[in-house]
Amino acid sequence: MSNADFSAQPDAAPSQIAGMMAMCAAMALLPIGDAISKTLTGFAAPFDVTVWRTLAQAIWFLPLLLLARKGLRGSVLSWPAVLSGALVAVVSLCLIYAYRTMPIATAISIFFIEPLVLTLLAGPFLGEKPGMRRYIAVAIGLIGALIVIRPNFEIFGPVVLLPALGALAYALNMIVLRKATRKHRSALSFQIGVALSGAAILGGAQLALGLMGRHTTPLSDLPGWALGALFASGALIALTFLLITLAFSKVEASLLAPLQYLEILGATLVGYLVFGNFPDALTILGTSIILASGIYVFYRERKSGAPARKIRARIDR
């Protein structure tokens, strides 16, 4: 992420507070969109729900593209954006398939190994080699993930591995994003391109599978409220994107990164209020280990002076 896109403003305390509040609001909105997706998987296949949600997201991004076109830097559509759109599509499919079977909070807890995976991949792909302490923190965090996965694997089966696969895809997406926005593109240009590319890829896949005989649930077969829920989900994603963009424009990434973990709290609350799910003791223990490890990694990055330049933009998820 280029410094021009997300520059810190350490001397503007009110601006930093506004940025951090925007990030907190974004993390609170994400589980609501996830809850809508989980509910819709009771009426249609997760693949169809993923396609519909991604298309709804793209619809809301189109007016954003028109309104912000004069302030965009670099091309919106590019091969890196297409690759990122494909990776984001994998993330969305993994999580929504997991939501159909698992509590949202459990899936999100496993998914949050992503910062740890990114730490491992940053060396070979970005030349950002972490020190031994961070490698140890990553190892401890992955042990926490195993604590979450093991009892849930016995209950839900291999589906519990999908959030981990989604975390790997998202970490790879962060690497693509870093490289693509370092010089020639703004983050806003790139993310709009990702949203449009993801919608095109998933829409094309659904059309191709339909021609091959796969049955797609017609929108007319869904309950009357479902179409509104889909558009509301797309609006939440667009709003979350704007909030995250605002946050990173006012506060440096290493300060915002730990706030991303508020999503787990939001997912736990939404899961309990909407679905009556609450994590068991082992899930809470494993999640706590993952959180502590991730926060330590961010702390070491900040202390060493290495810019995090990391966007947890689940608006694309």
Side-chain angles (χ1 to χ4, degrees):
M1 189 61 54
S2 65
N3 292 332
D5 295 325
F6 295 132
S7 57
Q9 301 177 22
D11 57 338
S15 179
Q16 284 196 338
I17 292 174
M20 296 177 76
M21 290 178 63
M23 191 67 175
C24 291
M27 295 303 102
L29 291 175
L30 282 172
I32 300 175
D34 292 338
I36 293 174
S37 298
K38 180 178 176 66
T39 302
L40 289 173
T41 58
F43 303 94
F47 181 82
D48 295 334
V49 173
T50 304
V51 174
W52 296 334
R53 194 176 94 159
T54 305
L55 291 174
Q57 170 190 341
I59 290 172
W60 284 100
F61 270 111
L62 287 175
L64 177 62
L65 173 62
L66 296 176
L67 291 173
R69 64 186 184 278
K70 293 183 179 180
L72 299 177
R73 178 167 57 83
S75 59
V76 170
L77 296 178
S78 61
W79 285 115
V82 171
L83 175 58
S84 183
L87 289 169
V88 167
V90 172
V91 174
S92 298
L93 286 169
C94 287
L95 289 177
I96 293 178
Y97 267 95
Y99 293 156
R100 181 178 63 172
T101 305
M102 305 168 56
I104 292 176
T106 302
I108 293 297
S109 296
I110 299 171
F111 179 81
F112 264 99
I113 65 170
E114 180 269 326
L116 307 177
V117 175
L118 180 59
T119 300
L120 295 177
L121 297 179
F125 286 102
L126 297 172
E128 301 174 6
K129 296 183 179 180
M132 182 57 65
R133 291 181 181 179
R134 269 179 272 179
Y135 277 127
I136 293 173
V138 168
I140 293 173
L142 295 179
I143 291 173
L146 291 176
I147 293 174
V148 177
I149 289 171
R150 182 176 177 183
N152 288 287
F153 190 92
E154 297 175 358
I155 299 172
F156 302 113
V159 71
V160 300
L161 300 177
L162 288 177
L165 176 60
L168 173 60
Y170 200 84
L172 291 172
N173 177 56
M174 289 298 98
I175 291 171
V176 173
L177 188 150
R178 288 189 188 186
K179 289 189 173 183
T181 58
R182 275 178 171 172
K183 294 181 180 180
H184 305 299
R185 300 180 188 87
S186 66
L188 186 60
S189 300
F190 186 74
Q191 291 291 352
I192 292 176
V194 170
L196 298 179
S197 297
I201 290 170
L202 285 173
Q206 187 181 53
L207 178 61
L209 291 172
L211 294 175
M212 295 170 60
R214 178 187 178 274
H215 173 71
T216 299
T217 304
L219 286 172
S220 58
D221 287 356
L222 298 178
W225 53 265
L227 189 60
L230 281 170
F231 276 99
S233 178
L236 284 173
I237 293 172
L239 178 57
T240 301
F241 169 79
L242 292 174
L243 288 170
I244 292 175
T245 302
L246 173 65
F248 276 91
S249 70
K250 296 180 177 298
V251 185
E252 62 184 83
S254 58
L255 283 178
L256 291 174
L259 296 179
Q260 296 167 4
Y261 288 118
L262 292 175
E263 185 184 355
I264 292 180
L265 298 178
T268 301
L269 180 61
V270 169
Y272 177 73
L273 294 177
V274 179
F275 304 105
N277 300 138
F278 194 81
D280 58 24
L282 282 178
T283 299
I284 293 174
L285 173 62
T287 301
S288 300
I289 294 173
I290 295 171
L291 292 180
S293 301
I295 291 173
Y296 180 78
V297 167
F298 290 130
Y299 164 76
R300 291 300 304 176
E301 286 182 353
R302 182 168 175 77
K303 187 174 181 179
S304 65
R309 287 176 295 183
K310 182 176 180 312
I311 297 180
R312 183 76 169 77
R314 291 274 304 289
I315 45 119
D316 302 313
R317 198 180 64 188

